[in-house]
Each structure stands twice: as C-alpha cells, then as structure tokens.
Amino acid sequence: MPELHIIGGPQSNYVWMTRVACAEKGVPYTLIPVMPHTPEVDAIHPLGKIPVLRHGDVTLCESRAICFYIDHKFDGPPLAPRDALDGARAEQWVSLVNTSIDPVLVRQYLRGYFFPGTPDGKPDRELIDGALPKIEQHFGLLDRAVAKTGYLVGKSFTLADMNLMPMLYYASKLPESAAMLGQAANLKTYFERHLARESVAATIPPPMPSRR
Ligand SMILES: N[C@@H](CCC(=O)N[C@@H](CS)C(=O)NCC(=O)O)C(=O)O
C-alpha cells in the first residue's frame, strides 16, 4: 500500500478533522503542512483549499470526500454509521455544520481575530461582533443536539463529531465564544469529554502561524 499523505497546515479545522478520522480508523499517514494556494495544494484542489490527499496515484480534495475514502478504503471501525438513517443523520450534521456554522464561527469570527487584515493587525471588531448573535444561536442548537447522548448521532463518536470538534476547540480559545460555550452546559461537557479522546488530543494543532 502506498503512503497516505494529508496535505495542509495542521491549524486548519478541516485538515484537523481528516487527521482525527485517520486516527479513529487506525490509518497511518504523513502530514505535509503547507498553506492553501501552494503548488502541492493547487495541483489537487481546483480552488487551492486544504486539506487535500495523495495516496499513490489517487488524489482527492474536500474533507468529506477525503474521509469517505479513508473510511471505505481501509480496514478499521466505520467513521460514519452504515445504517441508512444514522448515516444520513451524520451527513446532515456534517452539512449543517459546514454550511451554516463554519462560515460564521471560523470564516467570520475566528478570521476577525487571527487574520483580521486591519492596518494595525488588531482584531476586526466589526467582523467579530457581527458574528456573535449567530454563534449564540448555533451553540444553542448544538447544545440541544448533544444533550441526550453526548454525541451528535446515536451513541458513538462519528464523523459528525470529528467535524465539529476542531471548530469548538478554536471557539474555546477566544473570549466571546468561550463564554458562550460556558453557558451551553451540554455542549461544554461534550467538548471537554471528546477533547480528551486520543484521536483528538493527539492531533491538537500548534498555534496559528500568525495573528497578522
Ligand atoms: N469545503 C472544504 C473547505 C476547506 C477550507 O475552507 N479550507 C480552508 C482552511 S480551513 C482553506 O483552504 N482556505 C483557503 C481559501 O478559502 O482560499 C473542505 O471541506 O475541505
């Protein structure tokens, strides 16, 4: 079997979730820590985004597609439920989180802190403050979703949780979102419990390369 390469900087929440997926599946890989829009990435992702995967002659982009490949190509525990309904529920959460929560929490709020683009490099308060009401709403719905079992789907750690955890990790590091997480008791318990999980704890990324 050729070596599996996960290509992309470890700080990316989407790179991180593919690494959690490899760890959960028990698949060894080499991380090639490069930024978006670099030649290794542009050769595989038509929009230059990370993560991308290389496995011998196989190349793939998009975190969900990469996880599908890892899940179906290799032996090991399923990353997503094989049952039709639970599988659909996992996809539902991946989609919901990626299309509604990531754009606000990561692309707007985190960006306002880590990549503000302001002349003095200070956080972009307009971007940050504009995201807060939506983040509160999102944490409320996630709090209700994990209240019953401590997982997004069923009673086990699935791809839906792997996808969400990196986003919550960054939320726990910044003031307003950390305070909101503290108010959402079920979500906070969920986050702290799964942060201690080996696949997550062992792949926590180093700090963001730069705040400017
Ligand atoms: N839908 C993509 C999103 C990947 C993504 O947005 N990656 C970010 C880093 S977390 C990126 O490469 N951003 C650069 C850009 O958007 O140009 C996936 O699931 O892999």
Side-chain angles (χ1 to χ4, degrees), residues 1-198:
M1 212 32 130
E3 200 181 346
L4 182 76
H5 287 172
I6 299 285
I7 303 168
Q11 294 85 1
S12 153
N13 55 297
Y14 288 119
V15 171
W16 189 1
M17 70 81 74
T18 63
R19 297 179 67 210
V20 174
C22 285
E24 289 288 335
K25 196 79 183 176
V27 174
Y29 65 93
T30 300
L31 179 71
I32 314 285
V34 294
M35 298 292 278
H37 311 290
T38 48
E40 296 95 322
V41 179
D42 288 340
I44 300 174
H45 196 301
L47 300 172
K49 297 189 187 209
I50 56 174
V52 295
L53 168 149
R54 192 179 282 283
H55 186 220
D57 291 339
V58 172
T59 58
L60 285 167
C61 64
E62 293 290 307
S63 58
R64 181 63 191 95
I66 289 169
C67 288
F68 185 95
Y69 181 77
I70 292 165
D71 198 13
H72 291 82
K73 178 75 185 171
F74 298 94
D75 292 334
L79 300 178
R82 299 298 192 250
D83 169 75
L85 182 54
D86 278 353
R89 286 192 170 129
E91 295 302 333
Q92 179 180 272
W93 276 113
V94 170
S95 178
L96 213 155
V97 166
N98 289 357
T99 60
S100 297
I101 295 180
D102 172 89
V104 177
L105 182 62
V106 180
R107 307 304 134 194
Q108 182 175 346
Y109 176 73
L110 292 177
R111 192 181 128 215
Y113 276 105
F114 292 116
F115 306 102
T118 48
D120 55 4
K122 290 210 173 116
D124 183 334
R125 286 308 326 173
E126 204 180 325
L127 214 53
I128 293 164
D129 293 341
L132 299 179
K134 279 243 167 81
I135 295 175
E136 191 160 27
Q137 183 201 1
H138 293 162
F139 280 10
L141 72 88
L142 290 171
D143 189 66
R144 290 189 291 281
V146 300
K148 204 163 162 196
T149 66
Y151 300 97
L152 281 173
V153 180
K155 292 185 183 155
S156 60
F157 190 71
T158 70
L159 195 72
D161 305 301
M162 297 171 209
N163 188 54
L164 177 62
M165 280 301 292
M167 298 183 202
L168 292 181
Y169 175 81
Y170 285 116
S172 78
K173 297 290 176 203
L174 292 169
E176 300 88 351
S177 50
M180 287 183 206
L181 190 56
Q183 296 296 311
N186 301 307
L187 188 61
K188 185 164 191 280
T189 304
Y190 163 95
F191 168 67
E192 285 171 351
R193 176 161 155 245
H194 297 313
L195 188 63
R197 202 177 165 90
E198 202 187 332

